[in-house]
Amino acid sequence: MLYTEILKDNRVFTSLYKKGKFTASKFSVIYIRPNGKPFNRLGITAGKKIGNAVCRNRAKRLIRLAYRENEISLPVGIDIVIVARSRLCEIKSQEYCAYMKKYGTAEITRMFRSFGTDKKKQ
């Protein structure tokens, strides 16, 4: 990944869940929040409801692939956590990559821009 680091700190995950904005689809839930750094940070979560270890690892692999293919079109300076849903294991990788290209990046960009307007309102 070109300008992305991996999120591992539980404190950052919980702050994203509480204070970040999110968008949900049938395949995944995407949480974002600006981080003020010149790079993005990505965290991936796949809980036990997804299925066994094979399903969870496949879901994480699909998310990483879709993110890597669409990383160029995302704004820089955000924390992103993508939570897999059980339907993600049932589709092909090209389908999720196409979803991220068409809807995911547009939603992330829209939410990122709305953070700037929220600060102006206050």
Side-chain angles (χ1 to χ4, degrees):
M1 293 183 246
L2 296 173
Y3 52 89
T4 303
E5 290 186 0
I6 302 300
L7 270 179
K8 296 179 183 174
D9 191 13
N10 188 36
R11 187 172 37 95
V12 180
F13 275 84
T14 54
S15 72
L16 262 166
Y17 294 143
K18 291 179 183 176
K19 298 178 184 174
K21 295 191 176 190
F22 72 94
T23 181
S25 73
K26 56 187 172 185
F27 304 124
S28 62
V29 181
I30 302 171
Y31 294 88
I32 74 154
R33 186 173 182 207
N35 63 13
K37 298 179 179 167
F39 53 86
N40 291 343
R41 296 190 297 180
L42 175 68
I44 300 172
T45 305
K48 284 193 172 185
K49 288 183 180 179
I50 301 296
N52 60 9
V54 174
C55 291
R56 291 194 302 270
N57 287 331
R58 182 172 188 277
K60 291 187 278 189
R61 252 191 345 263
L62 288 177
I63 291 170
R64 257 185 255 115
L65 173 67
Y67 181 83
R68 193 170 38 246
E69 286 185 2
N70 298 299
E71 181 179 18
I72 295 295
S73 58
L74 293 174
V76 178
I78 55 177
D79 289 341
I80 304 170
V81 171
I82 302 177
V83 180
R85 287 190 166 174
S86 59
R87 296 260 328 254
L88 187 58
C89 293
E90 301 167 2
I91 61 171
K92 300 210 178 259
S93 60
Q94 296 90 1
E95 191 175 340
Y96 188 66
C97 291
Y99 161 77
M100 279 296 286
K101 186 173 190 171
K102 189 172 183 181
Y103 299 109
T105 55
E107 282 292 315
I108 291 171
T109 306
R110 182 189 59 78
M111 287 188 298
F112 180 69
R113 288 185 182 146
S114 71
F115 272 105
T117 58
D118 287 348
K119 291 179 182 175
K120 290 177 186 175
K121 289 179 184 176
Q122 294 176 354

